[in-house]
Amino acid sequence: MANNHLTSESKQLATWYFSFAAIIFGAQLLFGLVAAIQYVMPGFLFEIIDFSIARILHINSLVVWMVFAMFGSVYWLLPDETGIETVGIKIGKLLYWVFVAAIVIVVLVYLFIQVGPADETTIWFITEGREYIEAPRWADIGIVIVALGFVANLFLTGMKGKQTGIVTVLMADMIAFAGLYLAGMFFTDNITVDQYWWWWVIHLWVEATWEVFVGAIAAYGLIKMIGARRQVVEMWLWIEVAMLFGSGILGMGHHYFWIGTPEYWWEIGALFSALEPLPLVAMFIHVLYDWGKQQGEQNALGEKVSVINNKPAFTWFVLQAFGNFLGAGVWGFFHTLPQVNLYTHGTQFTSAHGHLAFFGAYATILIGMMYMAIQGTNGIKVMKHTKASIWAVSLITIGVMGMTVALTIAGYVQVLVSRAQMGATWAGYFDGQSGMWFAQAMDWRLLMGAVTFAGFLFLIKDFLSTGKDAAHQR
Amino acid sequence: MANKSVWSDNRFWQRTAAWVTGFAAVLLIWLTFDTSAQISMGTDADLKDGVTKRVPGPTVINYKITYEMSTKRGHEVPVIGEKEKFFGRDDWSEEEAAELLHLGKLGSQAKNCMDCHTLLGNGAYYAPDLTKAWLDPAWGPEGSLQAMTGKNTKEEAMAEFLQHPSQYPTHERMMPNLGITEKEAIGLVAFLKHMSSIDTNGFPRNFGKMQGAVHGK
Amino acid sequence: MVDPSILRPEIALDDFLPIFVSSALVLVFGGFYVGIYTAVKVGILQKWTMPLAYLFWVLTSYCLYVMGSLMHVGDFTAKALVVAMIGYLLLPHAVYYMQHQVHEENEHV
């Protein structure tokens, strides 16, 4: 990078993390397209890259790019928050390369070896075959080491520099985030026990620690982008932590309805997952409140100037507040109660919810952080939208919403035909899949997936060019 | 800051967050102990004594399993019945059965089953749910899948299909050949039979009751 | 201990769609309620729109009622839902009060 305005090594490292995250994001979308094509044309790449392989790569790269962007976000905000350079930055850089190398090897093995014999060597070196955390055991251990190094850097920096509320929340959150991964690192013959602990990783990441993480990032973003008051933002962050962990930890019950676990999880799961949307509503309101207050004060000064100093990033942050509520909240709530979940569990409903929630809650805000990094790297005071950034945000949002609606319709067909009427048998399953509504929904899903990918191309174009755009105030 | 109310005090909310999180975590851990005891795998003795376990022991493969409505619980539950031959034997010892289940569970992970199928409803949605696959009428004596493989028993038909899936296309969407050996296939079928005996609180609902018929409209 | 109604979740085929729609609308309307409330309070929206906020609260309650009856929730759950809706009515007031309090106090230190 020619005129790099970054003086902090931590921020430098953050840009590495963001760059690799953006590449893996692209891989996620590509393999998602492969899987979407296979729903429409089952012969596509049959026995070359089967659906299972495409899907592993789709969901694993999702997790990986988000984790990379999350690490990047922390390295980006640490110098701002603590007022010092990140401690152990050299180790941080080394771990970055270790992490990247491990990911590349795992992906190549997924692609070219795919499956192994039914013994422990496969679990150790090829795949663990457990959705989302298929990474073989050696990579698990590598990931834990990298994560511990990251957490150590965060803790040492937080304790040496100024420990703000945001940093404190991140410290507590990231140690839980890293620790929980351990729950997914053992083998058992008992599939009920297997899935019980598997959810400790998946649920407690996605519906607890990651949500708190984005709460902290949103707090940082509001302070940086619209000058929200730290006192208000941090108080609100603590309330969010209480609400998110208070509902999210026991909200785990909604995964324990049907895996062989006792019936009391019905009540626990129903009660706490009904509470889970509340913090999402609260987070949405908070963004609205801060924005309204800050702009109101600005307007009172007489000049009509926007308080936002990074338009594209703020757009993605607002989209996050809304998307989290819509994807995790609305799309989660309508199939979370056990009476209904009995019929929707394991249908495309889950898939619809997954697409909108991961996008709304996480992809949006992490892309927002990438824009903040571009702003900082290029020394921009007020960053404006470009044509490409508007195309990117519009196409990606329309694409993901479109996929979600299509998958919801497909899920509805499955619930009625395969579940409520035919009781989830083999024949029932395929009757549902052959229905006209289901088939058309899958066509639309593919089309909307392509729209999302087009949006991604605009996003990359914007990432590469907007920094030098003369439209921004420097 | 003289008249700071407690509601707008950061430290108050920080403590609240810590207490709420701690309380939820402790409750989860406590529930985990209770659940772990209830979902631990049963033994051969349990099966012989008719003790109902949520997750029966591996020797459940020696018995006939059905899925019946329980009026007490208000939903279907797996019922373990009389002895039934599994690959020609109904006297698989505890060690042999455990070994088969171990092989099958490893196989289910080594072949990425969960990235097309759902197991206990979790996984991908590209292929049928396997929770009660063992009880599926399609694999039964009158089922189309058993007839297709030309085998005489459910377990042999399933094992044959697993080894040569692309020889027996059941749908435009086919299962790929995953290099499953004969031994692995037997293990996988044992794993499926065992899974069908797990008490899943009535999931899936109405399984197999309709036998392909559609009620209502 | 187990709510007996939860044991027989046999849902009529025609009821699935209204259940999905009403439960989604619970949150959408609920979001409108707190959204409009906050927007009016911070001055983004005009004062006269406040009754709309409360109208959305009524719609939220109605959708929850529809959802609960179609799912055949038991007596206990029904009572819990009523309490939840009253709590939800108060929630934005409490939240705004707190936010405002912090804001004021930090303005005048």
Side-chain angles (χ1 to χ4, degrees):
Chain A
M1 274 175 233
N3 2 342
N4 193 325
H5 288 76
L6 294 182
T7 46
S8 148
E9 290 216 43
S10 187
K11 294 201 170 201
Q12 206 81 264
L13 177 56
T15 62
W16 297 3
Y17 269 107
F18 287 138
S19 309
F20 191 69
I23 296 169
I24 300 291
F25 181 26
Q28 184 215 337
L29 298 185
L30 270 183
F31 286 107
L33 280 178
V34 171
I37 293 172
Q38 283 166 337
Y39 263 105
V40 177
M41 292 193 300
F44 182 68
L45 293 180
F46 183 68
E47 294 188 337
I48 300 162
I49 300 175
D50 286 313
F51 179 87
S52 53
I53 302 303
R55 183 173 187 273
I56 288 178
L57 286 158
H58 178 58
I59 61 178
N60 281 232
S61 40
L62 161 81
V63 175
V64 166
W65 89 254
M66 289 191 170
V67 169
F68 264 75
M70 285 162 78
F71 283 17
S73 304
V74 170
Y75 278 121
W76 182 266
L77 64 78
L78 264 187
D80 290 343
E81 287 290 308
T82 59
I84 59 167
E85 176 64 272
T86 299
V87 176
I89 196 73
K90 285 221 166 59
I91 293 176
K93 287 184 175 175
L94 177 72
L95 289 176
Y96 169 83
W97 289 113
V98 172
F99 204 0
V100 169
I103 301 292
V104 170
I105 296 170
V106 169
V107 167
L108 291 177
V109 170
Y110 281 162
L111 261 180
F112 296 107
I113 303 185
Q114 301 189 349
V115 293
D119 57 40
E120 295 274 347
T121 56
T122 304
I123 304 296
W124 272 92
F125 299 106
I126 302 173
T127 172
E128 274 189 65
R130 298 167 80 202
E131 195 187 6
Y132 291 106
I133 47 175
E134 283 93 348
R137 189 68 46 81
W138 74 264
D140 282 351
I141 295 169
I143 289 167
V144 168
I145 292 170
V146 170
L148 286 179
F150 164 78
V151 170
N153 278 358
L154 169 62
F155 265 74
L156 293 174
T157 316
M159 287 188 298
K160 191 175 158 205
K162 196 163 67 161
Q163 193 180 326
T164 61
I166 292 175
V167 172
T168 312
V169 170
L170 283 175
M171 282 161 70
D173 192 51
M174 284 290 121
I175 193 126
F177 167 80
L180 285 168
Y181 194 75
L182 298 173
M185 284 178 58
F186 67 97
F187 176 86
T188 164
D189 291 337
N190 185 335
I191 186 156
T192 298
V193 173
D194 179 318
Q195 293 201 357
Y196 186 88
W197 291 102
W198 176 72
W199 280 118
W200 274 59
V201 187
I202 311 302
H203 173 92
L204 291 181
W205 269 18
V206 176
E207 289 177 60
T209 50
W210 287 28
E211 284 283 358
V212 167
F213 178 88
V214 294
I217 295 292
Y220 168 79
L222 287 174
I223 294 173
K224 278 278 151 187
M225 280 188 294
I226 60 172
R229 283 196 176 62
R230 180 174 290 275
Q231 186 74 13
V232 184
V233 167
E234 288 196 339
M235 180 190 99
W236 193 242
L237 179 58
W238 285 114
I239 298 177
E240 278 169 12
V241 172
M243 289 169 93
L244 283 167
F245 279 149
S247 63
I249 290 176
L250 288 165
M252 182 119 89
H254 63 220
H255 301 295
Y256 294 161
F257 294 157
W258 325 115
I259 62 167
T261 36
E263 278 150 326
Y264 55 71
W265 288 107
W266 278 345
E267 278 80 15
I268 297 168
L271 176 64
F272 286 92
S273 41
L275 294 176
E276 276 189 60
L278 284 183
L280 309 182
V281 176
M283 287 161 102
F284 180 50
I285 296 309
H286 176 63
V287 172
L288 198 64
Y289 176 90
D290 272 350
W291 188 14
K293 274 279 174 199
Q294 296 305 123
Q295 192 66 57
E297 282 169 22
Q298 178 69 38
N299 293 350
L301 296 176
E303 317 154 57
K304 282 264 176 190
V305 188
S306 169
V307 287
I308 304 160
N309 68 20
N310 187 334
K311 279 275 163 61
F314 194 72
T315 305
W316 284 104
F317 270 64
V318 169
L319 208 56
Q320 191 271 342
F322 188 62
N324 199 2
F325 169 69
L326 199 65
V330 175
W331 251 268
F333 183 69
F334 74 51
H335 64 137
T336 195
L337 297 179
Q339 290 93 333
V340 165
N341 190 259
L342 178 57
Y343 301 93
T344 58
H345 179 51
T347 65
Q348 299 289 349
F349 265 118
T350 321
S351 178
H353 164 54
H355 279 80
L356 192 58
F358 270 112
F359 168 73
Y362 305 115
T364 44
I365 199 165
L366 295 170
I367 294 172
M369 281 304 291
M370 291 178 187
Y371 270 110
M372 290 187 75
I374 291 171
Q375 181 186 26
T377 311
N378 292 285
I380 295 167
K381 278 211 185 65
V382 179
M383 193 158 169
K384 306 247 166 79
H385 266 301
T386 61
K387 275 215 175 90
S389 75
I390 290 174
W391 275 107
V393 70
S394 316
L395 287 178
I396 294 178
T397 308
I398 292 169
V400 175
M401 264 320 287
M403 285 195 284
T404 305
V405 171
L407 289 169
T408 307
I409 293 170
Y412 181 63
V413 175
Q414 270 188 300
V415 166
L416 287 196
V417 178
S418 308
R419 287 304 182 70
Q421 301 189 82
M422 298 189 64
T425 56
W426 188 294
Y429 177 83
F430 281 117
D431 273 3
Q433 304 288 305
S434 322
M436 189 188 73
W437 279 82
F438 186 94
Q440 287 195 359
M442 283 304 169
D443 293 346
W444 280 100
R445 196 274 290 268
L446 175 57
L447 185 71
M448 287 299 164
V451 169
T452 311
F453 191 72
F456 170 76
L457 294 179
F458 276 107
L459 186 71
I460 293 300
K461 178 190 177 282
D462 199 48
F463 279 173
L464 295 175
S465 62
T466 190
K468 304 281 168 277
D469 201 305
H472 310 306
Q473 276 177 42
R474 281 168 208 271
Chain B
M1 282 189 248
N3 53 355
K4 212 171 188 354
S5 75
V6 65
W7 300 108
S8 55
D9 179 12
N10 263 9
R11 271 180 320 170
F12 169 76
W13 287 110
Q14 184 172 357
R15 282 198 205 107
T16 307
W19 276 102
V20 168
T21 307
F23 185 71
V26 167
L27 208 54
L28 176 66
I29 290 166
W30 179 67
L31 287 165
T32 296
F33 277 109
D34 186 77
T35 298
S36 294
Q38 293 200 44
I39 61 177
S40 65
M41 212 181 268
T43 59
D44 195 34
D46 288 338
L47 284 167
K48 282 183 178 137
D49 302 341
V51 177
T52 314
K53 292 285 288 180
R54 299 193 69 91
V55 183
T59 43
V60 76
I61 58 172
N62 290 324
Y63 297 84
K64 185 178 167 69
I65 299 161
T66 50
Y67 194 48
E68 289 165 29
M69 179 57 82
S70 152
T71 42
K72 189 164 145 259
R73 295 186 50 195
H75 53 69
E76 292 104 328
V77 288
V79 176
I80 296 161
E82 73 264 32
K83 286 263 185 164
E84 177 188 78
K85 284 203 159 66
F86 184 72
F87 288 100
R89 289 175 57 190
D90 61 7
D91 58 350
W92 294 88
S93 74
E94 203 155 16
E95 291 75 37
E96 288 172 319
E99 219 170 279
L100 273 188
L101 180 62
H102 180 64
L103 181 70
K105 175 68 173 22
L106 271 173
S108 76
Q109 292 181 223
K111 308 297 177 188
N112 296 319
C113 297
M114 213 179 174
D115 283 288
C116 285
H117 294 277
T118 39
L119 310 179
L120 304 178
N122 293 313
Y125 322 112
Y126 194 68
D129 181 54
L130 297 180
T131 310
K132 304 288 173 199
W134 172 258
L135 305 172
D136 201 301
W139 289 106
E142 277 111 55
S144 57
L145 295 175
Q146 191 177 126
M148 177 181 67
T149 54
K151 300 285 179 182
N152 297 324
T153 64
K154 194 191 282 190
E155 58 271 25
E156 284 167 327
M158 287 175 127
E160 171 64 19
F161 176 80
L162 285 170
Q163 291 169 73
H164 313 286
S166 31
Q167 277 180 29
Y168 305 104
T170 57
H171 187 262
E172 198 190 353
R173 211 183 286 166
M174 287 192 296
M175 178 165 154
N177 188 350
L178 298 168
I180 297 170
T181 64
E182 192 185 348
K183 219 172 143 227
E184 287 172 348
I186 294 173
L188 282 167
V189 178
F191 166 71
L192 289 175
K193 184 166 183 180
H194 176 259
M195 184 158 59
S196 76
S197 73
I198 295 174
D199 182 343
T200 49
N201 293 342
F203 172 86
R205 184 82 177 171
N206 292 333
F207 184 84
K209 210 164 75 180
M210 310 305 171
Q211 302 270 349
V214 175
H215 74 64
K217 287 177 274 189
Chain C
M1 181 189 152
V2 173
D3 185 348
S5 66
I6 218 168
L7 293 175
R8 291 189 176 276
E10 194 78 78
I11 295 177
L13 213 51
D14 292 332
D15 285 349
F16 276 104
L17 191 59
I19 287 175
F20 292 136
V21 172
S22 59
S23 49
L25 288 180
V26 166
L27 293 202
V28 172
F29 290 155
F32 273 124
Y33 163 52
V34 285
I36 294 175
Y37 178 89
T38 316
V40 172
K41 283 285 189 183
V42 298
I44 294 176
L45 285 177
Q46 303 260 302
K47 274 244 175 339
W48 63 266
T49 47
M50 193 56 109
L52 285 181
Y54 291 102
L55 180 68
F56 276 115
W57 177 82
V58 173
L59 287 172
T60 309
S61 311
Y62 175 71
C63 287
L64 200 68
Y65 168 76
V66 170
M67 183 191 91
S69 16
L70 293 179
M71 276 189 192
H72 312 297
V73 299
D75 283 346
F76 176 77
T77 318
K79 282 187 193 114
L81 292 180
V82 171
V83 174
M85 283 323 296
I86 294 169
Y88 198 65
L89 179 64
L90 302 176
L91 181 81
H93 296 80
V95 167
Y96 183 78
Y97 172 78
M98 286 190 302
Q99 297 243 8
H100 195 65
Q101 201 81 354
V102 193
H103 210 89
E104 290 294 303
E105 279 168 21
N106 287 290
E107 212 86 322
H108 313 293
V109 264

